[in-house]
Amino acid sequence: MPDTTFYFDLGSPYAYLTAERIGNFLPEPIVWQPISLGAIFKSNGRSSWALAGQDTRQAGMAEVGRRAREYGLQPIHWPDPWPTNYLYAMRAVTYAFQAGCGREFATEAFRQAFAHGDDLAIPENVLDVAERSGLDPGVTDDATRDPAIKLALRTTTEAAAARGVFGVPTVAIGDELFWGDDRLEDAAAAMR
């Protein structure tokens, strides 16, 4: 069976939609890989649809809400502001994976952001997620400044970009990449 990797950034509502559903489509083991979407955008000259103007932003937010309803998920509650700087949260989730509870942290953080509307750019919100995930908030906070954690996030982001990942969510099945929460069915078909 080919390796399966789910590339995500906690600031992406489409990655949230994927995180909530990926287990319904793909068998374990699935590697959840945090990457910095901002760094990916910087490397490929792209930007978020949420920054492309008010009409594009509103249409995108409505689409996320529609998909959440269609998938049977909780209604979307948008953090205010959104999007913002998620680097602190991405370093914290990188640490959480190294500490053995990354998936729990990521799932809880996605829900905190998009089901409850809490801004993950606020360290206290991230540290609440850490505590609920079984991590010591003080140790987690320290880890976000640890050069090894910073390097780990940078290295995995660069490796994802080199692999061809240009946005999130992306699911890799072996060498094949599937970008978007609406590609889970295609990824599942590739497994067969």
Side-chain angles (χ1 to χ4, degrees), residues 106 113 157:
T157 300

Side-chain angles (χ1 to χ4, degrees), residues 112-188:
Q112 187 84 8
F114 298 109
H116 302 290
D118 292 328
D119 184 1
L120 295 181
I122 298 172
E124 291 78 18
N125 290 338
V126 175
L127 298 178
D128 286 345
V129 169
E131 188 167 33
R132 286 196 309 275
S133 303
L135 294 171
D136 179 285
V139 173
T140 303
D141 182 55
D142 290 344
T144 65
R145 292 181 294 280
D146 183 336
I149 295 296
K150 293 177 182 181
L151 179 61
L153 180 59
R154 185 169 41 252
T155 300
T156 56
T157 300
E158 289 170 355
R163 187 175 190 180
V165 173
F166 62 88
V168 297
T170 294
V171 174
I173 306 293
D175 293 331
E176 196 168 357
L177 300 178
F178 300 88
W179 175 59
D181 79 286
D182 56 348
R183 298 291 310 283
L184 283 173
E185 293 88 349
D186 297 335

Side-chain angles (χ1 to χ4, degrees), residues 28-44:
E28 294 293 344
I30 302 168
V31 175
W32 286 43
Q33 184 59 66
I35 61 173
S36 171
L37 184 57
I40 292 284
F41 283 159
K42 189 174 182 180
S43 74
N44 64 26

